[in-house]
Amino acid sequence: MGLFFKKRSLQQEPRCAAVIVAAGSASRMKGVDKIMAEIGGMPVIARTLSAFQNCTRIGEIVVVTREDLLVPIGEVCRRFGFDKVTKVIVGGADRSHSVQNGLNELGETDYVAVHDGARPFVPAKVLEETISAAERSGAAAPAIPVTDTIKTAQNGLVTGTPDRSTLFAVQTPQIFDMDLIRGALYHCIEKKIPLTDDCSAVEQIGKVVTLTAGERTNIKITTQFDLLIGEAIVSWQDAQ
């Protein structure tokens, strides 16, 4: 079940499409729907889609969401003129199945960017540099160095302190050769391997992921406090 839009022709080779995953339950938002919540007077999903709509490297966008958001997101696409969005479809039982659903709905493409729908501030530079890195290596994702000291623990007791210089917080979009991510997801789903992100799928089949420079403003909205941070980001950007 899904909403269907007129398909645009994809751009010249190498082509890159996007799957925007917005199918989460927003359980940590205390009744606020993070995808449709407004930041600076604009829905989160609209800010997210704007980055991909405005990127000349992206030829097509498929949005994967919950059934109850099909119509609202379709209306957002029409309201803001997101004509690269060709389909808004229902997600699967988990992230892996949701991404797989999105991949299955794309037209012909060489690369695909998988992005969190609740990550509305991805800079154009991050998106473009990650696409270029994926074209060179087959798999790439933006990341920022971890600045806090990290502890491993069990039953409330510290078991170790990893070397902080080797730790990175990985963001999205995570961008892949289309055949690579299709095969990797199929493998993990068939083997019932739990995944925390899409890079983990290609890592499971032995592929090395290239990290590009992320941005601290490229936050994911997961709590109501993040909405306040988002408002601060908008105010800071408007003042530049």
Side-chain angles (χ1 to χ4, degrees):
M1 181 179 182
L3 297 178
F4 296 85
F5 299 83
K6 184 178 179 181
K7 190 177 289 271
R8 291 163 51 100
S9 59
L10 296 176
Q11 54 188 25
Q12 308 225 337
E13 303 241 354
R15 299 158 297 185
C16 188
V19 171
I20 308 299
V21 185
S25 62
S27 58
R28 287 174 284 183
M29 290 292 290
K30 298 181 179 179
V32 176
D33 194 312
K34 62 183 179 182
I35 292 299
M36 299 304 296
E38 292 196 352
I39 296 178
M42 189 174 183
V44 166
I45 190 63
R47 290 187 177 275
T48 300
L49 289 171
S50 290
F52 292 84
Q53 174 72 29
N54 295 333
C55 179
T56 59
R57 302 296 310 277
I58 299 295
E60 179 185 11
I61 303 167
V62 167
V63 182
V64 185
T65 190
R66 305 192 312 266
E67 187 167 1
D68 62 299
L69 289 181
L70 287 174
V71 171
I73 291 178
E75 291 173 349
V76 166
C77 292
R78 295 185 182 94
R79 174 185 168 192
F80 290 94
F82 296 143
D83 61 346
K84 289 184 181 180
V85 177
T86 57
K87 294 179 182 178
V88 181
I89 65 168
V90 174
D94 54 27
R95 184 183 178 88
S96 296
H97 285 88
S98 291
V99 174
Q100 188 178 59
N101 287 358
L103 297 179
N104 289 340
E105 296 297 334
L106 288 173
E108 292 186 10
T109 188
D110 302 295
Y111 297 90
V112 60
V114 183
H115 187 66
D116 298 322
R119 205 178 283 272
F121 299 112
V122 56
K125 181 180 179 182
V126 168
L127 177 52
E128 291 166 5
E129 289 183 352
T130 309
I131 292 173
S132 296
E135 289 173 350
R136 294 190 298 269
S137 67
I144 57 174
V146 170
T147 56
D148 291 329
T149 296
I150 303 297
K151 301 289 186 181
T152 58
Q154 190 170 22
N155 299 322
L157 300 176
V158 171
T159 58
T161 305
D163 179 0
R164 190 171 60 188
S165 68
T166 67
L167 300 176
F168 293 82
V170 179
Q171 304 175 336
T172 67
Q174 297 180 0
I175 304 179
F176 309 94
D177 174 272
M178 184 64 161
D179 291 336
L180 173 64
I181 189 61
R182 275 190 189 278
L185 276 177
Y186 178 82
H187 169 80
C188 291
I189 290 172
E190 285 293 299
K191 299 293 185 181
K192 298 182 179 179
I193 299 172
L195 302 175
T196 56
D197 71 344
D198 306 295
C199 286
S200 299
V202 300
E203 291 166 28
Q204 285 288 336
I205 61 171
K207 179 66 179 179
V208 175
V209 178
T210 299
L211 294 184
T212 60
E215 288 283 351
R216 298 203 177 276
T217 54
N218 187 20
I219 65 169
K220 185 178 181 182
I221 306 298
T222 57
T223 68
Q224 289 185 332
F225 181 70
D226 295 326
L227 293 174
L228 297 177
I229 297 174
E231 292 286 354
I233 291 172
V234 170
S235 297
W236 175 73
Q237 291 176 337
D238 289 345
Q240 299 301 301

